[in-house]
Amino acid sequence: MFKEKLIIIITLVMLLCACDMQEQSTQLAQIKEQNKIRVGTLASASNYYQAVQGEQGFEYELSQAFADYLGVELEIVPFFNLSDMFARLESGDLDLIASGLTYNKARAQQYRYGPTYRTISQKLVYKQGRVRPREFDDLDGNFTVIAKSSHSLTLQKIKKNNPSLSWTESEEFDEEELLQAVIDGEIDYTLADSHTLSLFRRYHPNLSIGFSVSHNDPIAWILNKSTDDSLYALLVPFFGDVKQSNQLYVLEEKYFGHVRQFNYVNTLAYIEAIKETLPTYRPWFEQYAGTLDWRLLAALSYQESMWNPRAKSPTGVRGIMMLTRSTAKQVGVTNRLEPEQNIRGGAKYLSKLIKRIPDRIPQPDRTWLALAAYNVGWGHVNDARIITEQQGASPDKWADVKKRLPLLIKKRYYRKTRYGYARGDVAVKYVDNIRRYYDALVWLDENNAIAPEPEPETAPEPEPVQNEPAPTEPAKTEPAALQSKVKEEESNQ
């Protein structure tokens, strides 16, 4: 009897040890033991890139949030082609792939997809000037896509019902390089994801959309296909949390919220102005920017006046930074039509607004809130922040305040605020435009695509200050750059 009990005890101990060994060998246990999660991603403006302020990118920040959720360090591993990245996943050198890849049934047979967290569409793109293709039968040139990509898988599926469809696949280019090849005339057509295309068209407006190849493609992270559910099991509650807490929305707004609208004429005019007009005023933007990025100051100025030093509006704002008479007086500007003075005053005023933002609010939210205040006034922005807090969102996050600013045009909201009615909807468009202009200017500057600064010239003879018309309102409402009559197209439709 004693011997039988001993055998049972030994068996139970062995089972417990086996279970413990099995637990220790799970993917999650290994991640915890190494205190890091290895995440692969394609290096791009939408996924991961190195900026002056450090590592940036939508997928990078989302991956960092997951690493924090697990309580481990993030090791982000950038790749330049899909083959290498998937090979590393299969070998076990990566724990997962977070690269904005869409769900595909063929790929799902080999890999495991996590929960869907965004949707995109695939667009056929070509260079402006060619005849617009409206279907695959209209293609009459070189059509190249990335090998083994979602685009390739989509075309393979379409080819079953369209046998004449043909294309070339390449592993030498990433998605943005293919788009650049279209601009350079090296290829005629390619496919691009809507979010990548929106970012790219900020500084390449000549890239046009022929037609949508797919709609609402779900995006998800990718893991190895195995019986080990330990890591996958935590992806489900993680994505539930980031959606519930609004963290996912905040990230989407940060990287893509300002590029959803695309205006071809406006963007083309801006790129030309960067080459032709900006060099005249760039020295002053740089001189008076102080702690600000001169390129942000220049983007703000373009939104206000399109870099026209004699710009004026019916509301009394004037000059290259479009200052009101009262604001000019605050910042020591005696002649708003003198561009150097106006730039100096605009820089000083924006700096004052940023300093007025509560210290607890980090960048870039501080800057976006200050830009909204430059347009509509800090009092109205603060009213929107109060409404934001009342509705259970964060008054310190631009993504949340941005959704409430348009409420200031509705009587049931503005009658309960301190400063009353305001064109909050205009302020939102205003900030989005500046962010697009700023992004494009940064990219062009860092790629040495801005014309060199000219030799110093004598500033245009200013009009006498006494000829300035008195303002009809205490603060400006709608900036001149928003008066374009060109209907904007939705690049993400």
Side-chain angles (χ1 to χ4, degrees):
M1 185 69 177
F2 174 78
K3 186 177 179 180
E4 293 176 353
K5 288 183 178 181
L6 183 61
I7 292 173
I8 293 173
I9 292 172
I10 292 173
T11 302
L12 288 173
V13 170
M14 291 178 64
L15 287 172
L16 289 171
C17 290
C19 290
D20 184 60
M21 290 176 63
Q22 185 177 8
E23 173 64 24
Q24 291 300 316
S25 65
T26 65
Q27 185 179 16
L28 181 59
Q30 292 172 9
I31 290 171
K32 294 282 190 179
E33 182 180 352
Q34 297 171 0
N35 194 36
K36 69 178 180 181
I37 182 169
R38 300 159 302 174
V39 178
T41 191
L42 291 176
S44 72
S46 56
N47 294 332
Y48 171 81
Y49 60 95
Q50 288 282 352
V52 174
Q53 61 270 41
E55 295 172 305
Q56 298 282 299
F58 177 87
E59 293 295 345
Y60 165 73
E61 290 204 36
L62 193 58
S63 298
Q64 183 62 66
F66 185 53
D68 294 342
Y69 182 81
L70 298 178
V72 299
E73 298 293 325
L74 171 66
E75 181 183 328
I76 198 80
V77 185
F79 290 88
F80 298 94
N81 66 69
L82 288 165
S83 295
D84 289 347
M85 186 164 64
F86 277 106
R88 290 281 294 276
L89 178 67
E90 291 171 8
S91 69
D93 288 339
L94 296 176
D95 294 303
L96 60 86
I97 288 174
S99 196
L101 298 178
T102 56
Y103 175 85
N104 182 275
K105 288 184 178 179
R107 187 175 280 159
Q109 294 177 1
Q110 188 174 357
Y111 304 100
R112 188 173 195 177
Y113 283 89
T116 297
Y117 56 95
R118 294 184 66 229
T119 59
I120 60 170
S121 59
Q122 296 179 29
K123 311 287 188 182
L124 184 132
V125 296
Y126 67 103
K127 186 178 181 180
Q128 185 76 19
R130 293 182 62 94
V131 176
R132 177 185 176 183
R134 299 183 181 274
E135 56 185 24
F136 285 113
D137 289 342
D138 294 337
L139 303 188
D140 60 354
N142 182 293
F143 180 22
T144 302
V145 300
I146 300 171
K148 302 180 181 179
S149 64
S150 300
H151 306 149
S152 171
L153 296 174
T154 296
L155 292 175
Q156 292 172 28
K157 182 178 179 181
I158 293 173
K159 187 174 177 64
K160 294 178 180 179
N161 296 320
N162 191 347
S164 63
L165 177 62
S166 63
W167 66 92
T168 301
E169 298 194 8
S170 172
E171 289 189 337
E172 297 181 5
F173 303 99
D174 60 26
E175 192 170 11
E176 291 188 8
E177 288 173 331
L178 278 180
L179 293 174
Q180 185 64 53
V182 173
I183 292 294
D184 294 340
E186 297 173 4
I187 62 174
D188 299 304
Y189 312 99
T190 190
L191 293 188
D193 293 335
S194 52
H195 61 299
T196 302
L197 184 59
S198 295
L199 293 171
F200 194 80
R201 293 173 92 190
R202 291 171 299 177
Y203 36 82
H204 283 303
N206 284 324
L207 201 64
S208 296
I209 299 173
F211 55 91
S212 293
V213 177
S214 66
H215 299 274
N216 298 320
D217 295 338
I219 289 179
W221 288 353
I222 299 177
L223 297 82
N224 258 327
K225 203 164 191 178
S226 70
T227 57
D228 184 352
D229 293 333
S230 60
L231 186 61
Y232 176 84
L234 290 180
L235 286 177
V236 177
F238 166 72
F239 278 105
D241 285 354
V242 294
K243 290 178 181 178
Q244 182 68 28
S245 66
N246 228 27
Q247 187 176 1
L248 188 61
Y249 167 75
V250 170
L251 275 181
E252 288 177 341
E253 157 56 31
K254 177 178 179 179
Y255 287 100
F256 311 116
H258 61 298
V259 295
R260 292 192 179 103
Q261 299 288 332
F262 176 76
N263 184 312
Y264 170 74
V265 174
N266 181 282
T267 306
L268 188 64
Y270 177 58
I271 300 300
E272 288 300 316
I274 288 175
K275 297 176 181 177
E276 302 295 332
T277 308
L278 177 61
T280 301
Y281 304 106
R282 175 175 174 173
W284 289 329
F285 288 128
E286 292 179 331
Q287 180 180 349
Y288 297 114
T291 58
L292 300 172
D293 186 334
W294 74 266
R295 298 166 298 190
L296 176 69
L297 198 61
L300 166 61
S301 177
Y302 187 83
Q303 168 62 23
E304 288 285 359
S305 68
M306 296 184 180
W307 295 325
N308 176 9
R310 297 177 180 272
K312 58 184 177 180
S313 81
T315 61
V317 290
R318 305 199 71 170
I320 198 167
M321 301 295 291
M322 294 294 271
L323 302 177
T324 65
R325 189 185 296 271
S326 60
T327 298
K329 186 176 181 179
Q330 289 177 35
V331 294
V333 173
T334 58
N335 189 343
R336 292 178 292 168
L337 299 180
E338 202 285 307
E340 183 179 4
Q341 274 198 54
N342 205 287
I343 290 171
R344 184 190 69 217
K348 188 175 180 179
Y349 182 55
L350 179 59
S351 295
K352 288 178 65 175
L353 288 171
I354 291 176
K355 290 178 182 177
R356 194 172 181 181
I357 307 296
D359 292 340
R360 67 177 180 274
I361 301 178
Q363 292 288 12
D365 298 85
R366 292 178 64 83
T367 296
W368 308 151
L369 289 167
L371 289 175
Y374 195 105
N375 173 255
V376 79
W378 172 246
H380 292 304
V381 173
N382 212 36
D383 283 342
R385 293 179 66 238
I386 292 171
I387 294 173
T388 302
E389 189 170 31
Q390 290 172 344
Q391 294 186 352
S394 173
D396 296 345
K397 293 180 179 177
W398 168 245
D400 290 336
V401 177
K402 175 182 180 179
K403 294 172 69 174
R404 277 78 183 183
L405 265 168
L407 299 179
L408 296 179
I409 65 174
K410 298 182 179 181
K411 187 174 181 179
R412 67 178 182 273
Y413 290 101
Y414 73 71
R415 68 181 180 181
K416 298 178 182 179
T417 64
R418 180 177 180 181
Y419 292 92
Y421 173 88
R423 289 299 307 273
D425 55 333
V426 171
V428 169
K429 293 179 182 178
Y430 175 89
V431 176
D432 282 351
N433 286 349
I434 294 172
R435 291 174 64 186
R436 284 199 302 273
Y437 295 146
Y438 174 64
D439 287 351
L441 191 53
V442 168
W443 188 90
L444 292 168
D445 184 35
E446 293 179 350
N447 286 273
N448 300 313
I450 299 178
E453 299 176 21
E455 294 297 322
E457 297 179 359
T458 303
E461 185 68 27
E463 296 178 6
V465 69
Q466 59 266 27
N467 290 339
E468 291 184 11
T472 56
E473 295 181 14
K476 54 186 174 295
T477 54
E478 187 167 353
L482 285 177
Q483 298 174 4
S484 170
K485 295 182 180 180
V486 181
K487 184 178 180 181
E488 293 185 340
E489 62 169 301
E490 283 282 344
S491 62
N492 285 339
Q493 289 179 349

